[in-house]
Amino acid sequence: SITQERLAGYRAALEKYGLEYDEKLVRYTDFGQTDVGPVINELLTQAPDAFLAASDRLAIDCLATLKRRKIAIPEAISLVAFT
């Protein structure tokens, strides 16, 4: 599936730059804001530098959650997405 291919690409990029893959930072969710918001809020407790969304639609929901929390992008946290 495309999700598995994107995860493999993420892992390959981490490996290329000598960064460790952490399974605890990877989440799977549906496309609704009611699904994405709680996941973003949970991950924020780990003080991430960035979010990588594997689709533009997930990125939009992530962006909306961060804006509701008044978290400045890219000043406070980065947001990257690809489709």
Side-chain angles (χ1 to χ4, degrees), residues 43-66:
L43 288 169
L44 283 169
T45 65
Q46 299 180 49
D49 295 325
F51 285 98
L52 171 61
S55 78
D56 289 341
R57 186 161 178 193
L58 289 172
I60 289 168
D61 292 343
C62 179
L63 176 64
T65 299
L66 294 171

Side-chain angles (χ1 to χ4, degrees), residues 6-50:
R6 290 177 180 176
L7 180 60
Y10 168 68
R11 292 183 75 160
L14 289 174
E15 185 177 324
K16 178 179 178 179
Y17 291 99
L19 300 171
E20 185 177 329
Y21 173 77
D22 186 349
E23 183 84 28
K24 295 181 293 188
L25 299 177
V26 176
R27 298 291 188 281
Y28 299 91
T29 184
D30 291 324
F31 286 115
Q33 274 185 311
T34 57
D35 298 316
V36 175
V39 171
I40 298 302
N41 290 329
E42 177 205 342
L43 288 169
L44 283 169
T45 65
Q46 299 180 49
D49 295 325

